Amino acid sequence: VAILLDEKHPDGTRLPFLDRPALTSLAAAQLALKYDLPMVPAYGTRIGDGSDFAVEYEVPIAHSNAETMTQAFNDSLSARIRTHPDQWYWLLDRWHGA
């Protein structure tokens, strides 16, 4: 199962994302904890002319609690964006109302 976690969630928890509070769903971490599943950050990076992608998987996020695990994901994604900002395509204000 893949879940996109960089979506603003109106009922989410305010967690830092790119050093700013952002409403973030805890659902992926809650599911991982409930069903004892790994939560693995995975990223598709455009290569060449953009019609091909390299998929990279990071090590699973250690089980703890939903908020801590989701923050670990936010930190992972923030690091990716800072390293390759040209790969992040975002049309919505992720922080509006956070």
Side-chain angles (χ1 to χ4, degrees), residues 12-77:
T13 299
R14 284 180 173 79
L15 295 174
F17 176 63
L18 291 171
D19 299 324
R20 294 175 61 190
L23 292 172
T24 308
S25 173
L26 303 178
Q30 290 167 337
L31 288 169
L33 291 167
K34 181 176 180 175
Y35 295 105
D36 194 27
L37 298 169
M39 184 172 166
V40 181
Y43 301 96
T45 304
R46 291 183 300 277
I47 55 176
D49 64 3
S51 62
D52 292 315
F53 291 83
V55 178
E56 297 175 62
Y57 299 90
E58 293 186 351
V59 297
I61 294 171
H63 280 202
S64 55
N65 61 66
E67 197 167 301
T68 300
M69 291 171 68
T70 303
Q71 185 60 59
F73 175 81
N74 276 359
D75 294 344
S76 168
L77 179 57

Side-chain angles (χ1 to χ4, degrees), residues 61-98:
I61 294 171
H63 280 202
S64 55
N65 61 66
E67 197 167 301
T68 300
M69 291 171 68
T70 303
Q71 185 60 59
F73 175 81
N74 276 359
D75 294 344
S76 168
L77 179 57
S78 293
R80 292 277 175 156
I81 292 168
R82 286 185 174 106
T83 302
H84 298 288
D86 58 311
Q87 293 288 327
W88 195 46
Y89 185 67
W90 189 252
L91 298 174
L92 303 173
D93 184 354
R94 178 71 171 87
W95 300 272
H96 181 75

